[in-house]
Amino acid sequence: MGLFYNFSVALFSALGSFLFGYDSGVIGSIVSAEFDFFHAYFHSPGVSIIGAIVSTFAGGCFFGAAAAGWLAAHIGRKRTIQLGGLIAMLGCSLQTGAQNVSYLIVGRMIAGLAIGCLSMVVPLYQSEISPPGMRGFLTGLTQFMISIGFLVANWVGYGSQFIRSDAQWRVPLGVQIFPATLLFLGMFILPFSPRWLVDQGRNDEALAVLQQLHGDKGNKEFIELEFAEMLEQIQYEKENISTKISDLWSTKPMLRRTLTGIGIQVCTQFTGINVSSYFQPTLYADLGLSGSKVLMITGVNGALGAITTIIFIYFILDRVGRKPPLIFGAVGMAISLAVEAAINAKWGGVNNHAAQTAGVAFIIIFSALFFSVSFGPISWVYQSEIFPMRIRALGTAVCTCANWACNVLISQVSPIGMARLQYRFYIFFVVMNIMNGVVVFFFFPETKGKSLEEMDAVFGDQVIPHALETKQMHNVGVQDEKDRDSDA
């Protein structure tokens, strides 16, 4: 089936990422001042309650990501994605039918468990089904679908503000039940990760999946070499590497992998993106904008972000690598937020059209341009490709937990920070983006073009040769397959 099938599998599994983006985007609209029926129904919740409604979701995500590490290793990447879709159906249904704030928070906590699980396992699954030269693109579909989720959420929010009943907020919350159901059902026909199948001793199935994903008339040798490399590496890891959490820091190369994986996610959160994502209407209100225009601008920002992401992951990421875009994005976001702080300091809340236009433009440039060509897609690609197979699910789970732990912190304090510090709140993220660029420059290795099995050479713990590098196969299973082909 080849490339188109590979792309289709990666894109469909990213429905889990769509749910992540949609929920994160829609809550910003729902808690905004334009959703008056929401505020009336829940008796005008204060900033601390709003922060709890937003951050409780992220708290659930933390525990969902932690559980997904065990699930992905034991029941497989595919079944873990299905389980995430099933739990998302429940959590989204509870939010849609919420009768009070506690009911809503419980629904968001359950939905968060699902999204945390999916945010960890979807890019892991995508990375394990991708050929080395396209892994940035196919795993980067995670961020693209997050962007599409935000885009749909923003425009659903824009349209729903005109509904003059409690359906104003119930409809946008209920929309997410459909993709969750589609993900759960659709994953029945998608393949298991070939690397997980090899890890379970199901080698014939793994080879068949590889042929489905990567096969065409001209790359039979590549598939045989890739399969041989999987067998050799996973066999070695089974014999020499355990799956204890302490293995994440048991050697210097493993500690470097773990710190790098956690680092990319922590740096991503401290770009300030979730302040923009969750509270974007509030940022526009601080510039003096109000009414339906606020949610319309949010929708435009989402559309531009999705377009930028797909262009970047398709045309650029696998060509230029991981580090240069991260440094470029960090510098660009720091400059954007510094300009935004200056605009808010002098003209915030003032009816100055030029200042409002500039303020909106730099919020969009920050997220739709610089974030979308750097930490947005690369964070999911990077954390999913750096760990060896025996510890990959656990390592990816720890990194994703770091993401959600920071997310909880930032989403909880942001309403208070924006209310009390106003434009000064931007300065904190200016400093953090500068630090992000420094950390990436000095500590992050480049992983472009390497197979997942070749990451040991990148991190300095390679002990066996790689078939894709030596062009030699040492596995009996592959040789047997070649013999069967010749007999046929």
Side-chain angles (χ1 to χ4, degrees):
M1 296 184 183
L3 178 60
F4 180 75
Y5 179 70
N6 204 161
F7 169 76
S8 300
V9 172
L11 183 64
F12 186 88
S13 65
L15 273 175
S17 304
F18 174 91
L19 286 167
F20 173 7
Y22 184 90
D23 195 293
S24 300
V26 82
I27 198 64
S29 297
I30 288 172
V31 301
S32 69
E34 283 68 36
F35 273 60
D36 51 337
F37 278 84
F38 171 83
H39 290 277
Y41 190 89
F42 293 106
H43 310 294
S44 301
V47 292
S48 60
I49 297 298
I50 294 295
I53 291 171
V54 174
S55 64
T56 301
F57 170 79
C61 289
F62 176 89
F63 293 104
W70 186 90
L71 290 167
H74 289 80
I75 67 174
R77 285 58 160 147
K78 170 178 171 175
R79 298 299 183 210
T80 304
I81 292 174
Q82 285 188 288
L83 181 61
L86 187 63
I87 297 172
M89 291 162 58
L90 173 61
C92 297
S93 297
L94 289 174
Q95 290 181 74
T96 304
Q99 302 299 307
N100 52 52
V101 170
S102 298
Y103 201 140
L104 179 63
I105 287 176
V106 169
R108 286 190 60 72
M109 173 66 81
I110 293 174
L113 289 171
I115 301 306
C117 172
L118 292 168
S119 69
M120 173 267 167
V121 74
V122 167
L124 174 62
Y125 177 76
Q126 291 169 325
S127 71
E128 291 189 347
I129 65 171
S130 303
M134 292 189 64
R135 193 170 58 248
F137 170 52
L138 295 180
T139 309
L141 289 172
T142 287
Q143 183 61 35
F144 172 67
M145 289 298 283
I146 291 173
S147 300
I148 293 295
F150 270 110
L151 172 61
V152 173
N154 290 336
W155 286 108
V156 168
Y158 175 74
S160 296
Q161 68 180 317
F162 301 109
I163 301 174
R164 306 316 299 162
S165 69
D166 287 337
Q168 182 188 66
W169 58 273
R170 293 192 190 275
V171 166
L173 288 174
V175 165
Q176 55 198 327
I177 299 172
F178 174 72
T181 304
L182 185 62
L183 179 67
F184 170 70
L185 296 176
M187 285 301 298
F188 278 109
I189 63 174
L190 266 61
F192 288 94
S193 160
R195 288 172 169 85
W196 182 79
L197 289 171
V198 170
D199 190 53
Q200 301 299 305
R202 297 158 62 176
N203 295 349
D204 290 341
E205 292 178 64
L207 182 57
V209 170
L210 276 180
Q211 290 169 336
Q212 279 184 303
L213 293 169
H214 305 164
D216 61 40
K217 295 180 181 179
N219 69 347
K220 181 181 177 182
E221 182 183 7
F222 168 79
I223 292 173
E224 292 175 344
L225 289 170
E226 183 182 30
F227 184 58
E229 187 165 279
M230 286 184 197
L231 290 177
E232 292 165 1
Q233 190 72 25
I234 292 173
Q235 180 181 350
Y236 171 80
E237 290 177 16
K238 279 187 173 184
E239 295 171 355
N240 296 277
I241 302 176
S242 65
T243 54
K244 298 180 295 183
I245 193 169
S246 61
D247 291 324
L248 291 174
W249 58 82
S250 59
T251 65
K252 187 175 180 179
M254 281 303 303
L255 178 61
R256 188 185 181 198
R257 294 177 197 255
T258 303
L259 291 178
T260 303
I262 291 174
I264 189 70
Q265 291 294 359
V266 172
C267 288
T268 299
Q269 289 301 307
F270 280 96
T271 61
I273 188 59
N274 279 325
V275 178
S276 173
S277 301
Y278 293 147
F279 304 106
Q280 195 171 160
T282 303
L283 301 182
Y284 297 140
D286 290 343
L287 290 167
L289 299 171
S290 61
S292 60
K293 183 187 295 185
V294 168
L295 296 183
M296 183 179 69
I297 295 172
T298 303
V300 171
N301 191 7
L304 293 174
I307 293 169
T308 304
T309 298
I310 193 65
I311 291 172
F312 171 70
I313 63 174
Y314 186 77
F315 291 105
I316 301 174
L317 180 53
D318 284 313
R319 291 175 171 84
V320 304
R322 298 4 175 185
K323 286 185 68 170
L326 288 173
I327 297 169
F328 171 76
V331 173
M333 285 185 283
I335 293 172
S336 299
L337 293 177
V339 174
E340 192 68 33
I343 292 171
N344 276 265
K346 189 166 185 178
W347 293 289
V350 177
N351 188 20
N352 183 308
H353 180 71
Q356 290 173 342
T357 301
V360 169
F362 275 96
I363 291 174
I364 293 175
I365 290 170
F366 162 79
S367 57
L369 175 58
F370 289 116
F371 183 78
S372 296
V373 300
S374 59
F375 287 88
I378 294 176
S379 60
W380 303 112
V381 176
Y382 206 82
Q383 73 158 27
S384 301
E385 66 186 3
I386 60 177
F387 290 100
M389 178 63 197
R390 294 295 293 170
I391 205 77
R392 186 173 297 136
L394 180 59
T396 305
V398 169
C399 297
T400 309
C401 284
N403 175 303
W404 289 112
C406 294
N407 192 310
V408 171
L409 172 65
I410 292 171
S411 59
Q412 183 65 48
V413 304
S414 289
I416 301 171
M418 288 187 293
R420 294 183 180 178
L421 299 177
Q422 298 178 338
Y423 74 88
R424 298 174 188 85
F425 194 56
Y426 289 106
I427 303 300
F428 171 75
F429 292 105
V430 171
V431 175
M432 293 308 301
N433 274 294
I434 294 171
M435 292 180 62
N436 286 348
V438 172
V439 168
V440 170
F441 182 81
F442 285 105
F443 299 108
F444 283 27
E446 182 57 70
T447 58
K448 179 188 72 169
K450 299 291 185 181
S451 72
L452 296 181
E453 287 70 35
E454 290 173 321
M455 290 299 164
D456 53 7
V458 174
F459 286 90
D461 53 357
Q462 179 181 354
V463 293
I464 63 173
H466 299 125
L468 283 172
E469 184 178 42
T470 65
K471 307 301 180 185
Q472 296 178 358
M473 297 176 289
H474 308 286
N475 279 286
V476 175
V478 175
Q479 189 62 47
D480 289 345
E481 182 67 23
K482 292 176 69 177
D483 292 341
R484 286 195 296 271
D485 289 344
S486 61
D487 292 338

